[in-house]
Amino acid sequence: MNILVINCGSSSIKYQLFCIEKKIALASGIAEKIGDESSRIIHHKSNKTFTKSINLPDYFKAIENIAELLTDSEWGVLESKKNVHAIGHRVVHGGEEFKSSVIINKYVLNRIKFYSKLAPLHNPPAYNGIKATMHIFPHIKQVAVFDTAFHQTMPEEAFMYGLPYRLYKKYCIRRYGFHGTSHRYVAQAAAEMLKKPVQKLKLITCHLGNGCSITAVKYGKSVDTSMGFTPLEGLIMGTRCGDVDPALVSFISEKEKISAEEVTNLMNRKSGLLGLSGISNDMRDLLEKANKGDKRAKLALDVFIYRVKKYIGAYLAAMNGADAVILTAGIGENVGIIKKRLAKEMNAFLGRRTKLLSIHTEEERLIALDTFELVKK
Ligand code: ADP
């Protein structure tokens, strides 16, 4: 069975085509800068890459072109569109309603649109992408895999904020958590590495990419996670500030003479590694500058690592210990110096009982597997 995985961002669509039987990705790519004049598709087949500059005014055109590339005589891997047997979509927000992946029907599609109120930047592109694929691949089943679903097992004590309870009832204000598919994937992969069932392990999974979040996974279930109502809470990220005193929103708004919305924008786009260093949101740039003695780059790194360490400590307390801490995503998988420093600091407060592992995350693969499980029934 061939399963196409679609991940719609605000101006891009990532795609990957899996053959379930062979357990491999046949092709993958990204349609970038949708809606912009410089839009293009970067397509990978085997180890070759092909870049097609093409005007993609909207998601519909982008997916139409992706379908064409997948069946192209030179760059394609399929004879016809009919060889795509199901489609799995990454959807960021499923509210409290979706606790696992589901087959998309009219109701589900409407609810994805409804939860745009909780994820205004993320759910609308997913909704548009699903509408487009339903049109272009009309006769196959489509599945939604939610970023929030894995965290729906959190107990109330972990997901409630200390705000008036009526705000939870009225506006659904609570911790939701994100990156759920990645945390679930690496927890499972860690269990395989440790040769123990995930139901017998306490794991702390650290997704450190452009966005960063940490999850306490107790016996296979998320019991706490650092991102909250939105993906702004928790760790220091590429351009996001993570935890700050909430009183700062009105303070900065008054001092800088900007609206609350603009402060939120500043916290989302101009803060984090970029804001602290004044150099870049990219860890590679910071490592290079820090090596050359740049003080602000070093500061950004120190704050980043200290925050990760603090959360690891918090989740050790939440679960009364952990068998392993897992690092994943761009920074977690590649930055040896961060792993080394965390290992050193963790040895000081943990001893050697808790293992520190780097595991490559493959959210798309898990989306394909979820899709397969649901459509084979
Ligand atoms: P996203 O959250 O957008 O999927 P990634 O998981 O690709 O992001 O992570 C992006 C971050 O990982 C960037 O800060 C980037 O600098 C860092 N990164 C990726 N590869 C490397 C590498 N080889 N060495 C150091 N940092 C890396």
Side-chain angles (χ1 to χ4, degrees):
M1 187 183 276
N2 297 324
I3 293 180
L4 178 61
V5 173
I6 297 279
N7 178 353
C8 292
S10 55
S11 64
S12 71
I13 299 175
K14 287 187 197 152
Y15 61 94
Q16 207 157 338
L17 183 76
F18 285 93
C19 171
I20 293 291
E21 291 76 18
K22 293 185 190 155
K23 296 185 176 172
I24 53 164
L26 302 170
S28 64
I30 182 167
E32 290 182 329
K33 303 192 177 176
I34 298 168
D36 190 280
E37 275 175 11
S38 57
S39 54
R40 59 184 186 172
I41 300 180
I42 302 169
H43 179 82
H44 310 283
K45 173 190 168 182
S46 307
N47 288 328
K48 294 190 197 111
T49 298
F50 167 64
T51 303
K52 182 178 179 182
S53 293
I54 178 168
N55 185 26
L56 303 170
D58 52 35
Y59 285 77
F60 190 90
K61 266 277 169 235
I63 289 175
E64 218 172 41
N65 274 279
I66 290 168
E68 269 170 32
L69 267 176
L70 290 173
T71 52
D72 182 82
S73 58
E74 190 184 351
W75 287 98
V77 286
L78 302 173
E79 248 171 50
S80 93
K81 259 172 32 180
K82 290 204 178 99
N83 297 109
V84 174
H85 303 115
I87 300 183
H89 293 269
R90 177 194 179 203
V91 181
V92 165
H93 222 302
E96 288 187 321
E97 182 173 353
F98 295 106
K99 299 184 192 315
S100 58
S101 306
V102 289
I103 291 188
I104 301 173
N105 55 24
K106 250 194 182 152
Y107 172 79
V108 172
L109 188 60
N110 275 329
R111 297 306 282 174
I112 290 169
K113 191 176 183 187
F114 174 80
Y115 290 115
S116 294
K117 67 172 187 176
L118 298 178
L121 300 179
H122 295 98
N123 272 33
Y127 175 81
N128 289 333
I130 294 168
K131 291 268 280 198
T133 52
M134 283 179 141
H135 207 89
I136 295 162
F137 298 89
H139 301 300
I140 57 174
K141 287 189 178 146
Q142 316 231 0
V143 166
V145 179
F146 299 94
D147 264 31
T148 49
F150 182 57
H151 301 301
Q152 278 298 308
T153 46
M154 276 189 288
E156 267 182 324
E157 67 196 37
F159 76 66
M160 285 302 294
Y161 289 122
L163 290 165
Y165 192 78
R166 68 174 185 85
L167 297 178
Y168 167 58
K169 282 294 178 202
K170 203 169 172 187
Y171 306 113
C172 310
I173 294 173
R174 51 159 285 178
R175 175 183 311 286
Y176 288 98
F178 300 88
H179 290 143
T181 314
S182 176
H183 290 292
R184 179 158 62 104
Y185 180 88
V186 295
Q188 193 62 52
E192 278 164 31
M193 277 173 87
L194 298 169
K195 298 193 169 60
K196 266 194 175 178
V198 75
Q199 292 80 3
K200 292 203 167 155
L201 289 167
K202 294 190 248 181
L203 303 168
I204 298 174
T205 51
C206 312
H207 179 108
L208 309 177
N210 267 316
C212 302
S213 68
I214 301 200
T215 298
V217 186
K218 191 176 183 184
Y219 309 140
K221 290 181 175 162
S222 167
V223 292
D224 203 350
T225 191
S226 58
M227 283 179 169
F229 179 66
T230 75
L232 182 55
E233 194 180 341
L235 301 176
I236 302 286
M237 312 181 208
T239 60
R240 288 173 244 170
C241 60
D243 297 337
V244 290
D245 184 337
L248 280 171
V249 175
S250 63
F251 186 87
I252 295 170
S253 163
E254 194 191 318
K255 294 288 176 202
E256 293 273 296
K257 298 189 175 44
I258 56 178
S259 68
E261 201 185 335
E262 285 167 315
V263 178
T264 307
N265 194 44
L266 174 146
M267 290 179 166
N268 266 305
R269 296 181 199 274
K270 295 179 187 157
S271 305
L273 296 175
L274 172 68
L276 278 165
S277 68
I279 297 166
S280 166
N281 63 321
D282 195 303
M283 187 53 87
R284 284 164 287 205
D285 299 339
L286 296 188
L287 291 168
E288 198 192 314
K289 293 277 182 186
N291 266 339
K292 288 182 184 151
D294 188 286
K295 286 211 171 88
R296 294 259 302 276
K298 193 179 162 304
L299 172 71
L301 279 174
D302 290 346
V303 178
F304 180 88
I305 293 172
Y306 180 69
R307 183 77 57 90
V308 173
K309 178 184 161 183
K310 231 166 55 162
Y311 264 95
I312 291 172
Y315 291 164
L316 281 168
M319 297 192 290
N320 294 322
D323 297 289
V325 174
I326 292 111
L327 304 179
T328 192
I331 297 173
E333 291 169 27
N334 298 303
V335 186
I337 180 84
I338 289 189
K339 188 175 179 189
K340 254 193 215 152
R341 273 181 63 177
L342 278 174
K344 195 171 150 211
E345 307 221 6
M346 276 176 40
N347 267 342
F349 74 92
L350 276 180
R352 290 184 190 277
R353 210 184 67 81
T354 302
K355 294 189 171 65
L356 183 65
L357 310 170
S358 286
I359 295 180
H360 174 51
T361 191
E362 288 188 273
E363 290 156 282
E364 283 82 6
R365 190 175 289 274
L366 192 50
I367 293 173
L369 288 174
D370 273 16
T371 304
F372 175 65
E373 288 302 322
L374 282 166
V375 301
K376 79 174 181 196
K377 282 178 192 157

